Amino acid sequence: MKTLLTAALLSVAVISAPANAQTAQPADRPAATAGPAASDAKMMLKGNWRASKLMGLDVYNEANEKLGDVNEIILDKNGKVSAVVIGVGGFLGMGEHDIAVSMDKLKFVEEPVRTSSTAPATTRDSTTGAATAPAGTATSTSPARTADANDWVPDHAVMSGTKDQLKAMPQFKYSDYN
């Protein structure tokens, strides 16, 4: 009986294997590829960022004063970024003032924030524009990245204004309950 059951299972597996291998891929999904094509896809996406990694990203002004951090990214129905919600002020999430700004108000910077006041000014490159650091700021707070690093996230964002100016902006509400 055991032998008969084993033989039956083996024959079903042998017969169904070619049928499973010939299952057509749905037209809305591209066929999975391995090897060079997969690495080409990664190269095509190099320089892009993961939205999940932008959450919590620190936002500074041109004077390298921390304004807040990214709390949310709002997308339209087509997947385009409509707004970025930034939490300003507060302590450990308490008393934070959420504001919504358009994506073009932010400059994403890949170099670490400059904090020391001992060296001459330097220029930072960003993906949405270039910002020049104020005079007297040049020492970074974290190790330098390699030029070809693709860690899917910028170091921080830069936005014009002061913390008080951002707190004076209308508060963004997700609903009438917050």
Side-chain angles (χ1 to χ4, degrees), residues 85-157:
V85 178
I86 300 173
V88 181
F91 181 71
L92 297 176
M94 302 295 290
E96 193 171 64
H97 179 79
D98 286 339
I99 61 166
V101 299
S102 61
M103 189 72 151
D104 64 341
K105 301 288 185 209
L106 296 173
K107 296 178 213 160
F108 292 93
V109 181
E110 302 216 7
E111 290 183 12
V113 176
R114 308 293 181 174
T115 58
S116 176
S117 61
T118 58
T122 61
T123 301
R124 298 177 293 191
D125 290 327
S126 69
T127 59
T128 58
T132 303
T137 59
T139 304
S140 73
T141 58
S142 57
R145 298 178 180 203
T146 60
D148 61 343
N150 185 11
D151 59 0
W152 300 95
V153 65
D155 183 75
H156 65 282

Side-chain angles (χ1 to χ4, degrees), residues 57-69 86 105-107 112-115 124 141 155-161 166:
L57 189 72
D58 291 334
V59 179
Y60 292 84
N61 63 13
E62 290 87 0
N64 289 333
E65 299 166 333
K66 184 175 176 186
L67 300 174
D69 55 15
I86 300 173
K105 301 288 185 209
L106 296 173
K107 296 178 213 160
V113 176
R114 308 293 181 174
T115 58
R124 298 177 293 191
T141 58
D155 183 75
H156 65 282
V158 176
M159 180 178 170
S160 294
L166 271 56

Side-chain angles (χ1 to χ4, degrees), residues 23-36:
T23 302
Q25 187 73 13
D28 63 338
R29 278 199 262 154
T33 58

Side-chain angles (χ1 to χ4, degrees), residues 11-49:
S11 64
V12 168
V14 169
I15 291 171
S16 65
N20 286 337
Q22 295 176 7
T23 302
Q25 187 73 13
D28 63 338
R29 278 199 262 154
T33 58
S39 65
D40 289 345
K42 182 178 179 184
M43 292 306 295
M44 287 178 20
L45 296 173
K46 188 172 183 169
N48 291 311
W49 299 317

